[in-house]
Amino acid sequence: MKAVITIVAMTAAAWAAAPQRVFAQYGLPAGPGPYGMSPGPMAPGQAPYAAQPAFHGPAGPAPFMGPAPAAPPGYGYYPGMPAGYQQPSLAPPAGPYGPPGAYAPPGAAYGDPNGGYPPPGAAYGDPNGGYPPPDGGYGAPGGYPSGAPIDDYGQPLNYGEGYDGMPLDGGAVCDTCGGDAGVCGCGMGLAPVFFGLEGLLWVRHGQQIPPLVTTSPAGTAAGNAGVIGQGATVLFGGQRVEDGFQPGVRITSGVWLDPMHEVAIGGRLLLLGQDEVEFNASSPTGQPIIARPFIDFNTGNEDAFLAAFDDGTLVNPRTGSINVSVMNDLWGGDAFSSLLLTQGNGYRIDLLAGYQFYRIDEAVSIRSTSIRGDLAPPFNIPAGSTITIEDIFGTQNEFHGGALGAVTEFQQGAFSLKFLGRVAVGTMEQTLQIIGKTTIENPPPAGGGPPLPPVVLPGGILAQPSNTGEFTRDRTVVSPEAAITFGYNVNHNVSLTLGYSFIYWTSVAQAGPHINRRIDLTQVNAVPPPPGIMASDFWVMGLNGGIEWRY
């Protein structure tokens, strides 16, 4: 009996003197032991165990202490970390229980809440530390919550992941996704490739167009018909056009270059649909009167070319039509790189740098076709001849520049909010082209035979030989961009987005302002002279919504 007592006493003393090891309150069965977590890391893909039978420990107000470690003491396993993240820990502090969930890091008596461990006094763990509260909603002691998402190491996500309390993908932007939380994970295996497709409904700056087509009441004399200030009405022009909403598309694609999602490269392509305004006026009988107004350089007075006219006295009235087309086209894109600057609980900020290209084209075309009839001026051509006059004013703007900015993203559960700000500085190559021509098609000779070939003359009405040609210049341009985007994570691979975007350029040449109505049809004074390129600011903005894939 004395020998037995001596052996028991020696065993108890050795037990008390040896460093103890505390096993996780919420974890896997420890094999033959009744409580805690298996001290080794879990195999990749291994699913957590649900609550175990009662012999694994009944629920109670305090954590349970597992059996003495079979391996050398002094090393604890941090739940949710990959193999190799085993850090030295101190022996449990004095008292019957150690810190629940994992071993305390060096210097911490009961574990560090910033590392995802509950503070002392938490019966079943502190939600701030990532462990389920004692309300029974997240599973009972002895097992992970039923249905909780897992990472690549078989550990539940967002239940005390990592030594620093951050998700293992390095970005605090994913908790759970919409719908089934079990289909969204933020483990080290997060998809590296991203692709976004957005539909656009944007409005652009538009352009100012001078009066181009007029009409006058029936019976107006030929000298006053179509003349602004002499009772004429402007049918087209004298207003801003192309300032309505226009559909478009934007494509974004890229790839993360590291598993922690800190560095990425990608590109964007933006296509804003061609905005075209068409106006047509036709007068097959000479009524209504339709005309093209201008200012006579020699007199300084308003005047007009009559495309169609009948004052009731002509046997053969002048008949004709006028067509005006205004076009705007915008497209471009950029190549960018992204670098993580900082991140925290539910947010991250990335630096953006790259190259931008944009092309903005505009054109105004005025075409009139008339059959002379008995009204001869201003052309001394045979009656019945067809006169086609075309004036074209076009501009092209091509931007090349470097861009620098940042994007800040906040996420709460399945929802995200992203702010983008970027400024590009570069060169805008601006080109102005003015073309004018007049084509005269003679009728067949009265005595029979084939008609004379058409005659093509340089210059139209507003585009005279004195101001036609192509003109080019370069300007330094600043282009800021801003956007706000709301997102909803449908699952691990798909998100829906809705946002607002704004892009601005400090100098863009537009076609409309280059139309000079002050002309000399005789070209005796060779006016107007060749114009200089005029430019103003330009912007586009509007709504965009789409879908983003990650794979």
Side-chain angles (χ1 to χ4, degrees), residues 253-278:
S253 182
V255 58
W256 293 99
L257 301 181
D258 66 308
M260 302 302 288
H261 285 200
E262 295 181 352
V263 181
I265 57 173
R268 292 190 309 173
L269 175 64
L270 184 149
L271 301 172
L272 192 58
Q274 187 178 90
D275 192 0
E276 190 168 359
V277 177
E278 292 279 349

Side-chain angles (χ1 to χ4, degrees), residues 44-432:
Q46 182 178 353
Y49 286 86
Q52 298 298 315
F55 78 88
H56 285 286
F64 304 101
M65 181 173 68
Y75 291 86
Y77 173 68
Y78 293 90
M81 295 302 294
Y85 281 79
Q86 291 182 329
Q87 301 292 335
S89 67
L90 300 179
Y97 308 110
Y103 294 101
Y110 287 87
D112 185 358
N114 294 328
Y117 303 109
Y124 293 103
D126 187 342
N128 294 327
Y131 289 92
D135 58 6
Y138 294 84
Y144 287 110
S146 177
I150 61 172
D151 62 19
D152 293 337
Y153 299 91
Q155 300 294 332
L157 296 168
N158 305 306
Y159 288 89
E161 284 190 294
Y163 183 70
D164 60 355
M166 297 297 296
L168 293 179
D169 64 350
V173 295
C174 182
D175 291 322
T176 58
C177 296
D180 182 7
V183 298
C184 176
C186 297
M188 296 285 286
L190 198 64
V193 178
F194 54 91
F195 177 85
L197 178 63
E198 296 173 282
L200 312 179
L201 189 60
W202 285 12
V203 62
R204 65 190 88 200
H205 179 265
Q207 57 178 315
Q208 188 69 31
I209 303 296
L212 298 178
V213 183
T214 57
T215 187
S216 291
T220 303
N224 294 328
V227 178
I228 295 176
Q230 299 296 324
T233 300
V234 176
L235 295 178
F236 184 82
Q239 62 193 36
R240 181 174 292 277
V241 298
E242 296 182 321
D243 54 359
F245 283 96
Q246 191 69 20
V249 64
R250 182 167 57 189
I251 301 172
T252 304
S253 182
V255 58
W256 293 99
L257 301 181
D258 66 308
M260 302 302 288
H261 285 200
E262 295 181 352
V263 181
I265 57 173
R268 292 190 309 173
L269 175 64
L270 184 149
L271 301 172
L272 192 58
Q274 187 178 90
D275 192 0
E276 190 168 359
V277 177
E278 292 279 349
F279 173 83
N280 291 281
S282 179
S283 181
T285 64
Q287 284 291 340
I289 297 170
I290 53 175
R292 296 181 57 181
F294 63 91
I295 300 173
D296 190 331
F297 172 81
N298 297 298
T299 65
N301 296 327
E302 288 279 353
D303 205 340
F305 167 74
L306 299 177
F309 176 80
D310 182 13
D311 61 358
T313 66
L314 300 175
V315 176
N316 297 306
R318 178 178 293 183
T319 62
S321 63
I322 301 176
N323 170 265
V324 181
S325 176
V326 183
M327 183 274 295
N328 181 294
D329 190 27
L330 186 152
W331 64 280
D334 59 88
F336 64 85
S337 61
S338 172
L339 175 65
L340 176 66
L341 292 179
T342 185
Q343 64 180 359
N345 187 16
Y347 78 92
R348 64 179 290 155
I349 302 176
D350 292 271
L351 176 70
L352 299 177
Y355 159 81
Q356 280 191 357
F357 166 84
Y358 279 99
R359 174 85 172 262
I360 304 170
D361 296 340
E362 290 190 347
V364 179
S365 172
I366 312 105
R367 176 189 175 98
S368 62
T369 301
S370 305
I371 298 177
R372 178 197 150 178
D374 294 337
L375 187 66
F379 299 102
N380 186 19
I381 58 177
S385 297
T386 300
I387 309 166
T388 302
I389 305 174
E390 292 180 89
D391 297 324
I392 300 175
F393 298 81
T395 57
Q396 175 182 299
N397 302 265
E398 193 168 291
F399 176 76
H400 299 266
L404 186 66
V407 57
T408 301
E409 183 174 5
F410 300 92
Q411 181 137 353
Q412 179 63 45
F415 298 93
S416 65
L417 178 62
K418 183 183 297 184
F419 297 92
L420 180 145
R422 176 164 35 196
V423 176
V425 179
T427 298
M428 184 77 81
E429 181 180 313
Q430 300 172 343
T431 301
L432 167 66

